[in-house]
Structure formats: C-alpha cells, structure tokens
Amino acid sequence: MPKAFPRLDQLLASLGYGTRREVRNMVDRGKVTVGGAVAESFDARIDPATVEVAGAPLDAPDGLVAVFHKPVGHVCSHTADEGPTIYDLLPKRWPLRNPTVTSVGRLDKDTSGILLLTDQGRLVQKWTSPKSQLEKVYEVTVDRPLEDRIIPVFASGTLVLESENKACLPATVEILDPLHARLVMMEGRYHQVRRMFASQGWHVEQLHRSRFGSYELDGLAPGEWRLLSPPWE
Ligand code: URA
C-alpha cells in the first residue's frame, strides 16, 4: 500500500519550518502553496513534492543526506560549550527538523574534511558501525620526518592505544614525503589518527579527511555542503 501523505502542518514542522503553531500561521497568511495554488487548510494531507513555501520547493522532503566540508575550528556538537559548531555554518532549518540532522560520526575541532550529515538514523548506524568496513582516508601532516617502520605497525592489527585494551584494526599508511602521509582505515575511535601517530612518537600537526566510504569532497570548499539525492546506500 502506498505511504499516506502527511498533514501539511506536520510536514512543515517536521522539516524545520517552525513550530506547529508557526507553520499554521504561515498557511493562514498564504505563504504556502500546493500545486501552485495557495494552501487553504493546514490539516489536509498533501504530497510533499507539490508544496512550496515562499515560492521555493520544500527542503529535502524525502530525507536529507549531505556531504559537508568541515573547516578547522568548529566542533561536531549540537551545543556551543566548546566553541563554534558545524551547525553554525549550515542552514538553520536543519537542526530544527524532526528527526534532526546530525553528523555521521565526528571530526575533531582541529580536523578538516569530509563529514556526512543526515536525518536518517538508520544510515548513521550503518555508516558508523565497525561492521560496515567503510574506508576513511586521512591526509596527515606530522612534526618531524616519518619513518617506514610505522607501516608494519599500523598494518599489524596489534597496535593497542593508550588506555585501551582492544587492538586497532589493520590500517594502511602511505608515506607521501617526509612530513606527509595518507592513512586508510576502517574505524573511527576517539582521536584515533592522532593517537596512532602519537603512539609511535609523532605529533599530528594537520589532519584532513579526504574520503568517507565512496564519498569525496569533489571540489567543495571549507564550510560548503552538497545535498545527495536518494537512494543513499
Ligand atoms: N582521527 C582523529 O584523530 N581525529 C579525527 O577528527 C578523526 C580521526
């Protein structure tokens, strides 16, 4: 059976256009059209594809998945306790959606690069599960010349980080030049890349994630984002 269309007020509120009361007011003031005609009742069941607010189609009515280029200096948190957040750089409506938009895992405040954002809880679970075997690629800049000896250590599957007891999964490191390496890994533990290098005596000066699974930035500048069309698997 086809899924029933949502009520207009519920639809708009769930997409972050306002509280139920606010969106009903928007309908009353003629700001909302359905199929090109001003919407008359906020409780009608409506095909989201036919709705416009202030002349613009609805923002990702079928769910939202975006690729974001996280800049350095912003945290992946919904609260501002630790300084500016990534949500300060994104459309204000996104965190107001229900379900809300969150990042798929996190990058540190001092790390830049690709971060997926979504309101699809199922995808967050899938993409952050260690079982997903999703490759993440990091471009690493360190404080002093690298040595080949880290290659077998990171690949061994036996590297245990400080205050942990479970070994890191094998990771592949390619030394690009004395101060730069590319690391490919499957996991996403807290500060993992920085801690892996620290365990061998290197300080990570800069960290940038260039790939998440099959997703890449493809020219997005820091702070820019791009919506992905379904299907998202
Ligand atoms: N590893 C880190 O150390 N930091 C990140 O942000 C991501 C992976």
Side-chain angles (χ1 to χ4, degrees), residues 1-2 5 26 39 45 59 67 77 98 101 144-145 156 159 190 196 206 214 218 227-228 233:
M1 201 170 83
F5 289 136
M26 284 164 53
R45 292 191 174 273
D59 196 7
V67 172
S77 159
N98 183 15
V101 172
R144 63 186 182 81
S156 67
L159 175 63
Y190 179 71
M196 284 170 70
Q206 284 175 30
S214 58
D218 292 329
L227 284 179
L228 301 177
E233 305 311 312

Side-chain angles (χ1 to χ4, degrees), residues 104-107 114-116 123-124 126-128 132 134-138 209-217:
V104 178
R106 291 185 174 203
L107 290 175
I114 186 167
L115 187 65
L116 262 59
L123 292 179
V124 176
K126 180 174 166 193
W127 286 336
T128 53
S132 72
L134 216 62
E135 280 185 353
K136 290 114 192 166
V137 181
Y138 293 91
R209 185 159 71 189
S210 53
R211 180 158 71 79
F212 184 95
S214 58
Y215 297 104
E216 294 184 277
L217 287 167

Side-chain angles (χ1 to χ4, degrees), residues 106-108 111 138 189 191-195 207:
R106 291 185 174 203
L107 290 175
D108 303 338
T111 302
Y138 293 91
R189 301 186 198 181
H191 287 186
Q192 185 166 352
V193 176
R194 295 175 195 277
R195 291 163 68 220
L207 186 58

